[in-house]
Amino acid sequence: MHKKIGEILLEMGFITETEIKRILEIQHAEGGRRRFGEILLGGEMPEERILKALAVQFNMPLVDAQQFPEQFPVEKISYQFLESNALLPLGLRDGVLTIAVSDPMNTECIETIRSSLGYEVETVLAGRDEILRHLQLLKASRSAVMQQVIEDAAEDEAAGPDVTGEISHLRDLAQEKGIVQLVNLIIENAVKDRASDIHIEPGEISVRARYRIDGVLYEKEIFPVRMYSAISSRVKLLAQMNIAERRLPQDGRIKVNAGGRPVDIRVSTLPTIYGESIVMRLLDKESSFITLEQLGFDRVLLDIYEETIKRPYGMILITGPTGSGKSTTLYASLDKINSSEKKIITIEEPVEYLMSGINQIQVRPKIGLTFAGGLRHIVRQDPDIIMVGEIRDIETAGIAIHAALTGHLLFSTLHTNDAPGAITRLMDMGIENYLVSSTLICVMAQRLVRKTCTRCRVSRPVSEEMRRKFDYTITDMWAGEGCEHCSGTGYRGRVGIFEVLPVGDEIRDLVMRRATVKEIKDKAVALGMRTLREDGIQKVKDGITTIDEVLRVTQVEL
């Protein structure tokens, strides 16, 4: 048993027996709600004296602000968790994480860190106020670093020559130390924030940088407009673009190491009235591959879809707008059925993930390698399974239909709002109804919704209006309040919602009669199809997302 803190303070000469008796009386009167040390802190006892006694009581080293780190040694612990528990990670060495605590008896939070991160945890003692003050400094340090880099880059730009019309000077300016650091920091911060895209957009008086995180854009930085030429030139130089060309759109690619791992960046520029809008798509080559089970299917839908993709031939279409996760679903589908007995060939624009055992082709329109042209040659390669990145025109659609008719399993994507709409879209493109009926075996529409942050989620009541509109049985839902783990958004990560339409005999009959989208949809629902919105509401019931997210990505069902 530890010595009582009152006895230790008495031995140290920091307290008298009379004061110990008075504090014990206060404890008794309050029903033991506050500990001995808490009552002392509320009085006139300096915190440093109590800390010295606690260090003796728990045999823990005592540290001060001089030993605090200049940056977080680990990124995976939320700031809100650290602040609410007055914890400060000091360093990570040989798998042991040292953490400063202000309350040695708060062992539950230490166990939480140990189990969630997998590190051994060593605790030392520090003052609560000092810990909280340093946490605030660390939280602000990233913004301070960015601000300093912006100021340095602005000084470099101001010190440079007048670059108007001087391409050689632009090239020199793009290689100035400040500009190089600034662009590098933008990319590094985007990777740390799990951003999928960086948008650099010039305005009349400033340039803003926005990151797309979990499908939503967040404004992160604002730069003086005079820095735009240097920033855009630096990005274009890295992407091997023509820095002299500012009137036409350009595409390029950058390969960098950010956060200790390789990242492939696709760069696109588009002329606007204030300069070129730059969008950088970040593709993390070491991100874990997502399987079908991880996409968000419930067991019933997953069983239906898995049964479909194991068929020997036919066409399977994934539909949805740009950014709805269609490519991810295609890759997960191919991974599920990939084997040494099957030859799989894909044609994509671009190839986003490299898959072993699969032949992947990248579309190159400049040299004549289009979806249609490539698909025509793929069929001659004796494949079992073909994946076409997107059906964009009648020529590609026609060859795809022919491939499915001649004994191949073909996957592709279309841009339609729902699954039934893909069927009529093919016919609108000029594909005969009997060909669609003969080849199409499944259509799946999907969207991505943000997942409620598990670190800060709380139960909230659903309004009467929402319950009438969607589901009377939903009275409460989980929603994030916003914390450091989710950057204050209340959401972290995304999951799919799905509308799976197997094309059976009854749907084929409707296709042969050229039925409308509504007729096909009504029949599919009658046969048991769950709509996108219904699948989204089920995920609200399961505590995965919120009604607001489902509303954001789905349309009103007629």
Side-chain angles (χ1 to χ4, degrees):
M1 292 290 290
H2 294 296
K3 241 184 186 182
K4 290 182 178 179
I5 192 169
E7 295 175 21
I8 297 170
L9 288 167
L10 183 64
E11 291 174 2
M12 290 179 166
F14 294 154
I15 199 171
T16 65
E17 290 186 356
T18 303
E19 288 172 314
I20 291 175
K21 185 178 179 181
R22 180 176 59 83
I23 291 168
L24 291 174
E25 288 173 352
I26 294 172
Q27 258 191 323
H28 180 72
E30 292 181 349
R33 286 195 304 273
R34 287 193 295 165
R35 284 179 283 174
F36 193 95
E38 288 179 286
I39 297 172
L40 280 174
L41 275 175
E44 297 180 356
M45 174 76 71
E47 186 185 28
E48 62 184 50
R49 291 188 175 184
I50 297 173
L51 287 172
K52 286 178 180 178
L54 286 172
V56 172
Q57 186 184 27
F58 289 91
N59 192 28
M60 291 175 65
L62 180 61
V63 300
D64 58 25
Q66 298 294 324
Q67 296 162 272
F68 289 173
E70 295 183 2
Q71 60 184 16
F72 282 113
V74 288
E75 294 281 348
K76 298 177 183 177
I77 311 176
S78 79
Y79 172 81
Q80 186 185 49
F81 178 81
L82 294 173
E83 185 179 44
S84 61
N85 290 285
L87 306 174
L88 178 64
L90 299 183
L92 178 63
R93 185 174 181 180
D94 298 330
V96 178
L97 180 64
T98 302
I99 297 179
V101 302
S102 62
D103 181 1
M105 297 185 70
N106 187 4
T107 56
E108 185 178 345
C109 59
I110 298 299
E111 284 302 317
T112 299
I113 292 173
R114 182 182 283 115
S115 60
S116 62
L117 297 185
Y119 298 132
E120 285 299 315
V121 178
E122 178 184 72
T123 54
V124 296
L125 197 62
R128 179 181 179 84
D129 290 343
E130 284 189 329
I131 288 175
L132 295 179
R133 189 161 46 248
H134 200 73
L135 282 172
Q136 288 282 358
L137 289 173
L138 289 178
K139 185 180 180 183
S141 65
R142 174 170 152 176
S143 298
V145 168
M146 175 60 82
Q147 188 58 42
Q148 185 60 54
V149 171
I150 291 172
E151 290 173 5
D152 292 344
E155 288 177 10
D156 285 346
E157 194 275 343
D162 180 6
V163 299
T164 305
E166 297 291 336
I167 300 307
S168 60
H169 289 160
L170 267 181
R171 188 178 297 275
D172 292 341
L173 189 57
Q175 297 182 79
E176 289 285 353
K177 181 181 177 182
I179 293 297
V180 170
Q181 288 180 333
L182 176 59
V183 173
N184 288 348
L185 192 57
I186 290 171
I187 294 171
E188 286 175 12
N189 286 347
V191 171
K192 285 180 182 176
D193 287 345
R194 305 175 296 105
S196 61
D197 302 84
I198 303 169
H199 292 242
I200 299 176
E201 302 160 323
E204 186 177 4
I205 59 174
S206 64
V207 180
R208 66 177 177 175
R210 298 193 289 171
Y211 299 166
R212 189 177 294 280
I213 303 169
D214 293 332
V216 178
L217 280 171
Y218 296 93
E219 188 171 289
K220 292 292 183 177
E221 313 295 344
I222 298 290
F223 311 111
V225 73
R226 71 177 188 273
M227 294 175 60
Y228 171 73
S229 293
I231 294 172
S232 63
S233 296
R234 177 62 187 169
V235 173
K236 289 166 77 173
L237 198 63
L238 288 171
Q240 298 183 337
M241 295 178 176
N242 181 359
I243 63 174
E245 180 56 75
R246 304 170 195 167
R247 300 164 302 169
L248 296 173
Q250 293 189 71
D251 294 304
R253 206 160 205 155
I254 304 172
K255 291 185 178 181
V256 298
N257 276 296
R261 57 183 190 267
V263 178
D264 196 7
I265 304 174
R266 297 203 325 256
V267 184
S268 170
T269 65
L270 185 70
T272 71
I273 58 173
Y274 294 117
E276 292 169 289
S277 170
I278 300 171
V279 175
M280 294 184 273
R281 166 65 57 90
L282 308 179
L283 301 171
D284 187 348
K285 293 299 185 183
E286 290 191 353
S287 60
S288 56
F289 191 81
I290 297 177
T291 64
L292 279 179
E293 288 77 10
Q294 296 169 322
L295 289 176
F297 287 102
D298 69 13
R299 191 68 251 176
V300 174
L301 289 184
L302 183 59
D303 288 344
I304 293 171
Y305 184 67
E306 283 190 345
E307 181 184 350
T308 303
I309 65 176
K310 290 176 182 177
R311 294 191 188 181
Y313 56 85
M315 178 186 285
I316 297 171
L317 292 178
I318 313 294
T319 79
T322 301
S324 59
K326 299 188 298 297
S327 295
T328 301
T329 300
L330 286 176
Y331 283 118
S333 303
L334 294 180
D335 183 63
K336 188 74 176 180
I337 57 179
N338 187 15
S339 71
S340 59
E341 291 84 25
K342 295 176 182 176
K343 178 159 185 171
I344 302 176
I345 305 179
T346 74
I347 181 161
E348 312 165 54
E349 185 186 14
V351 174
E352 293 186 17
Y353 294 95
L354 299 177
M355 301 182 68
S356 61
I358 291 178
N359 300 277
Q360 295 174 269
I361 303 168
Q362 178 140 328
V363 169
R364 300 182 187 276
K366 290 182 180 178
I367 61 171
L369 181 54
T370 61
F371 277 119
L375 183 54
R376 189 177 287 110
H377 289 281
I378 285 173
V379 176
R380 301 170 190 163
Q381 287 280 307
D382 187 32
D384 297 290
I385 299 164
I386 301 169
M387 190 266 272
V388 182
E390 183 182 347
I391 292 178
R392 297 179 178 175
D393 51 48
I394 179 62
E395 186 181 8
T396 307
I399 301 169
I401 290 284
H402 175 73
L405 273 174
T406 53
H408 304 92
L409 184 62
L410 187 134
F411 293 84
S412 193
T413 68
L414 269 179
H415 288 281
T416 61
N417 291 326
D418 56 15
I423 298 174
T424 56
R425 172 66 59 84
L426 285 174
M427 293 188 286
D428 290 342
M429 291 174 71
I431 303 298
E432 294 294 341
N433 57 337
Y434 67 88
L435 291 174
V436 175
S437 173
S438 302
T439 57
L440 197 60
I441 59 174
C442 182
V443 185
M444 183 169 72
Q446 67 178 65
R447 300 289 189 277
L448 292 176
V449 293
R450 291 181 291 173
K451 293 193 292 185
T452 303
C453 177
T454 56
R455 299 274 184 91
C456 64
R457 70 177 191 170
V458 294
S459 181
R460 290 180 181 169
V462 177
S463 69
E464 184 68 27
E465 179 187 356
M466 283 293 188
R467 286 195 288 125
R468 282 199 308 269
K469 195 171 184 179
F470 294 106
D471 194 318
Y472 282 101
T473 63
I474 302 179
T475 57
D476 299 277
M477 69 174 181
W478 289 102
E481 291 189 308
C483 64
E484 182 71 11
H485 184 63
C486 62
S487 301
T489 64
Y491 300 97
R492 185 178 172 91
R494 290 190 288 176
V495 69
I497 59 174
F498 303 95
E499 181 176 283
V500 180
L501 171 56
V503 181
D505 291 339
E506 293 179 78
I507 299 297
R508 289 194 186 95
D509 289 342
L510 290 177
V511 175
M512 289 300 293
R513 292 194 285 107
R514 291 188 174 273
T516 64
V517 173
K518 189 176 187 311
E519 289 173 320
I520 296 173
K521 183 171 187 175
D522 289 345
K523 173 58 71 174
V525 170
L527 292 170
M529 183 187 80
R530 183 192 295 171
T531 66
L532 281 167
R533 184 161 283 189
E534 287 170 345
D535 193 43
I537 291 301
Q538 183 58 50
K539 286 182 170 61
V540 174
K541 291 180 180 179
D542 295 339
I544 297 170
T545 190
T546 64
I547 289 177
D548 290 338
E549 272 299 284
V550 177
L551 281 173
R552 183 177 68 85
V553 302
T554 61
Q555 62 180 0
V556 175
E557 293 170 357
L558 302 175

